[in-house]
Amino acid sequence: MTSPRAKLRLIAPEPAGGPSDSGPRLRADDTGTTTIEPSLDSLYEQYATFVGAMASRILGRAVEVDDVVQDVFACAVRGLRRREDAREIRGWLAKVTVRRCVRQLRFRRLWALVDMAPTPSYDRLADPAAGPEERQLLVEVYRALDRLPSGERVAWVLRNVEGETLERVALLAGCSLATAKRRIASAHDKLRRDLEGRRP
Amino acid sequence: MIDLDAHVAKGPLRVRSLWSGEGPERIARRVLRRRRLSFALDVVVAVACAALVVLGSRHTATVAARLATSAPPGAAAPAAAMETFRDGSVAELLGRDADLRVEQETPQRVVARLQGGARFRVVHNRQRTFEVQAGEVRVRVLGTIFSVVQLPSGPTQVLVEEGHVQVAWLGGATELQSGEGGVFPPPDAGSAESPSPAALADDAQPLSGASSPPPAPDAHATIGTRGTWRDAAMKGEYGQAYDELAASGHEGVRDEAADLMLAADVARLSGHPEQATAPLRRLCDRHPGDRRAPVAAFTLGRVLLDDLGRPAEAAAAFERARLLWPRGPLAEDALAREADAWARAGHADRARAIAEQYLARYPAGRHADVLRNVASR
C-alpha cells in the first residue's frame, strides 16, 4: 500500500541563514509540484548539526547529546512525514529536541540519586573563540544549571545561550510567555546567587 | 570576579557543539531496536492481558457465576449483554451463553432467534409484531415485558410480567397474560419438573394478602396516559425517561404496581441501579398481592447482589420473592440465588441451610450441581 504522503510538498523555499541553506533535495513532477524526498539520510544530513548543537547547549554533556540526536531522528522518521511545509521541519525538530532534552535532564536527576560517578567536567564546553573568563564562567554556569529544575534550566539556556526570543522560548518549552519569563528570571536569580556563593 | 549579568548582556554565551557527527546508520539501528522493543512490549502486554482474563474468569467461576449462566427469568442480568432494537425495545441476555440473533427487523415485523435466556421489554406498537423464536417455541407480542429461557432439558420457559403474549409450538398455541408463565411445549401432565401451563395457572398465583390493595389495572391502561417520562420509557428511551423522572421527583411515580415497576426499570435500564431499589421495595411493601410483587422482589435481589454488592439485603429480597409466590416460576431460582447471596455475604451456615433446602425441594433442579457444592462446605 502506498502512503498518500510518501513525499513532502515544498511550499516555499527555506529562509536564508538556516541549516537548510543547502536546501532539501528538490524534484519537480509532471504537474509542476516541487517535492522533496523525506528520507532519513537527507533529513539527517541537513539537520543533525542543528539538533546536535541545540542539545549540546541544553545538556552540556557529549554522551547525552548523541543519544538525544539519535532519539530526535528516530522520531523524525515518522513525525516529519506529517509535515508538508519544509519551513516547519526546523521548528518541529527544535521542539522535539527540547522535549527530549527535558526528558534526559529529568532522567539525569533521577539517576543522580544512585549514580556514584563524579560530576562531569564542563571544560570542553566553551567555544574555541571564547576567552578564559568566559570559559570559566561556562563551567560554573553549567555546574549551577545542574542544580536547577529542568524547566527553568531549559528556558534560561534557550534565552541566554541559544539566543532565542522570549516568544520562541515559550513556544519551544511548551509553556505560556509569562511562564517562560518567570522561569528565566527564577533561573537567573538562582544562578547569580550560586555563582556569588562560590566566590572566595 | 565574573559577572554573569555582564556576560549575558553582551549576548548569548558561546557553547560549542558536543555532537560526535556520527552517521545515520546508528539511528536506523536504534529505530529497528525500538520497533523490536515495542513489539516485544506489545506481546508482553497481550500475554499479561490474556493471563488476567483467564485468571479473572477462573476467579469468577464461583457459585455466583455459575448461577448467572443459568439466570432465571423475571429479572434482568445487569452485567449481561443488552440488545436494543430500532424501535427502542430491549432484550437483556440472561447469562453468558445466551445469544440473540435478529433475523428480521422491519416497521411491521421483528423476528429474533434466541438461544439461552433473555428478558424482553417490547415497546408497544400495534403496527408491528415482535416474535421471539426459541427452540421449537415462538412467542409473539405487541408490547409487553416477558422473559424467555431455553431450559437445558429442551423446552422453553416463558414468563410474562406485563401485557400478554401468544406462545406457539408445533401442535399447539396458547396465550399468557400478565403474571402467567409456563414451560413449552407442554410436557406430560405428571411431570413434576415441568408443570403444564394449566397447572401453573392453578397453583402458581402470587400470594394475595387480605390487607393488600386491589390489583393494579392493566399496565398499558395506566402507563402512557400521563407524564412524559412514561411516554419516553414506553418508547424505550430510558435515559430521557430517567432524566424526566428525576426532574419530577417522588411525586412523578404513582403508588401503583405498574408505575413502580416501570420506574424501577427506567432506573435500571438507564444505568441507575441504586435508584431502582426504592420503587421495587415500595412495590413489594405496598402491593404484596399484586402479580408483579414477586418479580419486583426478585429484581430487587438481582440489583442488590449484582449491581450494588449488598448480598445480605439481596438474600432477604430473594427470600421475599419465593415467599410471595412459593410455587411460582421464580421460586426455584430465588432459592438458589438466596443461597448464593448468603454465601457471598459470608454467612456460610445460612448458605448451606438454604442450599440443603433447595436440594430437598428440587433434587434435579437447574442449580442442583452448584448448590451441592455449597451444601457440602
Side-chain angles (χ1 to χ4, degrees):
Chain A
M1 188 188 295
T2 307
S3 167
R5 287 188 182 168
K7 294 171 182 175
L8 302 178
R9 282 187 292 120
L10 187 68
I11 294 174
E14 278 287 314
S20 54
D21 277 351
S22 57
R25 293 194 176 119
L26 304 178
R27 199 183 71 172
D29 59 18
D30 295 340
T31 62
T33 306
T34 308
T35 60
I36 61 171
E37 294 289 344
S39 72
L40 177 63
D41 285 0
S42 62
L43 291 170
Y44 193 82
E45 186 184 322
Q46 289 169 46
Y47 297 106
T49 309
F50 163 69
V51 172
M54 192 171 197
S56 299
R57 292 179 195 117
I58 296 174
L59 298 171
R61 298 183 189 178
V63 64
E64 293 177 352
V65 170
D66 278 1
D67 272 355
V68 167
V69 173
Q70 289 177 23
D71 264 354
V72 168
F73 280 92
C75 280
V77 173
R78 189 179 58 235
L80 280 179
R81 286 204 164 89
R82 291 198 293 265
R83 266 138 195 93
E84 296 185 345
D85 188 344
R87 286 177 302 185
E88 289 181 50
I89 293 177
R90 188 167 181 258
W92 183 81
L93 280 173
K95 269 201 267 191
V96 174
T97 305
V98 169
R99 210 160 48 225
R100 296 277 160 173
C101 287
V102 168
R103 204 167 76 176
Q104 183 64 35
L105 288 169
R106 286 178 182 153
F107 177 75
R108 187 197 287 181
R109 285 175 82 91
L110 194 68
W111 185 244
L113 298 174
V114 293
D115 188 17
M116 303 302 288
T119 308
S121 163
Y122 291 106
D123 295 342
R124 293 175 54 227
L125 194 57
D127 190 275
E133 192 181 355
E134 191 173 352
R135 284 170 183 270
Q136 181 60 30
L137 174 75
L138 279 170
V139 171
E140 292 191 13
V141 162
Y142 271 82
R143 279 183 189 157
L145 282 172
D146 281 347
R147 288 184 280 276
L148 293 186
S150 326
E152 292 184 2
R153 172 191 181 126
V154 166
W156 191 89
V157 170
L158 288 173
R159 177 74 175 135
N160 295 304
V161 183
E162 197 69 30
E164 298 284 5
T165 62
L166 288 171
E167 289 77 10
R168 283 275 297 168
V169 171
L171 182 72
L172 292 173
C175 62
S176 68
L177 183 60
T179 303
K181 286 179 183 174
R182 195 180 66 246
R183 285 180 183 172
I184 293 169
S186 172
H188 196 79
D189 280 351
K190 288 175 185 171
L191 282 176
R192 197 164 44 202
R193 281 201 301 272
D194 197 309
L195 293 179
E196 285 170 359
R198 284 163 179 261
R199 305 234 166 80
Chain B
M1 178 174 172
I2 302 172
D3 187 352
L4 178 65
D5 291 332
H7 274 87
V8 168
K10 285 182 202 168
L13 301 179
R14 287 177 289 183
V15 173
R16 73 185 183 90
S17 177
L18 301 172
W19 177 54
S20 62
E22 63 182 5
E25 297 79 19
R26 286 186 63 187
I27 311 290
R29 282 201 298 276
R30 174 172 284 215
V31 171
L32 191 61
R33 199 164 60 237
R34 182 174 294 185
R35 283 179 184 163
R36 283 177 181 160
L37 182 66
S38 173
F39 176 75
L41 279 175
D42 287 348
V43 170
V44 169
V45 169
V47 169
C49 287
L52 280 175
V53 168
V54 170
L55 286 176
S57 61
R58 281 187 183 173
H59 180 68
T60 52
T62 56
V63 178
R66 282 191 255 174
L67 287 172
T69 54
S70 55
M82 188 178 291
E83 176 84 33
T84 304
F85 296 86
R86 284 182 206 147
D87 64 352
S89 300
V90 174
E92 298 171 84
L93 299 184
L94 303 174
R96 294 179 204 155
D97 299 334
D99 180 48
L100 186 73
R101 197 179 314 151
V102 181
E103 295 186 336
Q104 183 181 350
E105 191 170 14
T106 66
Q108 290 78 35
R109 192 170 183 228
V110 175
V111 179
R113 184 170 289 277
L114 175 69
Q115 284 186 333
R119 179 182 185 245
F120 295 84
R121 172 180 275 281
V122 178
V123 172
H124 189 69
N125 181 358
R126 290 192 177 279
Q127 305 305 316
R128 70 101 176 79
T129 56
F130 193 105
E131 294 177 22
V132 178
Q133 186 83 33
E136 297 174 352
V137 174
R138 189 184 65 214
V139 183
R140 180 183 287 175
V141 297
L142 291 173
T144 181
I145 306 172
F146 65 101
S147 301
V148 179
V149 177
Q150 275 189 296
L151 301 177
S153 52
T156 300
Q157 187 178 40
V158 181
L159 176 72
V160 182
E161 294 176 36
E162 282 183 21
H164 69 277
V165 305
Q166 185 188 67
V167 185
W169 62 94
L170 276 175
T174 188
E175 284 203 359
L176 294 177
Q177 302 296 323
S178 177
E180 292 182 342
V183 178
F184 306 95
D188 296 333
S191 169
E193 186 184 355
S194 305
S196 69
L200 239 165
D202 288 342
D203 63 8
Q205 291 301 316
L207 288 182
S208 137
S211 61
S212 63
D218 182 66
H220 294 303
T222 52
I223 295 171
T225 54
R226 283 181 284 160
T228 54
W229 74 268
R230 296 180 188 84
D231 298 336
M234 295 309 291
K235 289 177 191 164
E237 294 160 356
Y238 300 108
Q240 182 192 340
Y242 180 80
D243 292 341
E244 289 170 359
L245 180 58
S248 65
H250 292 298
E251 295 74 22
V253 183
R254 292 190 294 271
D255 189 12
E256 297 170 1
D259 221 31
L260 291 165
M261 197 69 194
L262 184 64
D265 277 349
V266 164
R268 283 190 317 111
L269 296 173
S270 63
H272 303 85
E274 178 70 52
Q275 277 65 39
T277 58
L280 290 171
R281 284 188 201 280
R282 191 171 177 85
L283 200 164
C284 298
D285 293 342
R286 305 267 300 174
H287 309 277
D290 191 277
R291 57 200 174 211
R292 299 173 191 85
V295 176
F298 196 97
T299 305
L300 177 63
R302 292 291 302 262
V303 169
L304 289 167
L305 187 64
D306 296 332
D307 278 351
L308 303 176
R310 285 145 60 179
E313 291 176 63
F318 287 125
E319 181 184 20
R320 190 169 196 178
R322 65 183 172 84
L323 293 178
L324 280 169
W325 197 356
R327 303 185 66 181
L330 292 175
E332 179 187 348
D333 293 309
L335 197 58
R337 298 285 288 177
E338 188 181 342
D340 172 37
W342 283 126
R344 286 206 222 178
H347 295 275
D349 292 342
R350 287 191 181 185
R352 195 161 42 244
I354 297 294
E356 286 168 354
Q357 195 177 332
Y358 177 96
L359 293 169
R361 195 173 297 175
Y362 309 101
R366 291 193 296 279
H367 312 298
D369 289 343
V370 177
L371 291 176
R372 269 191 202 97
N373 291 335
V374 177
S376 63
R377 283 179 194 164

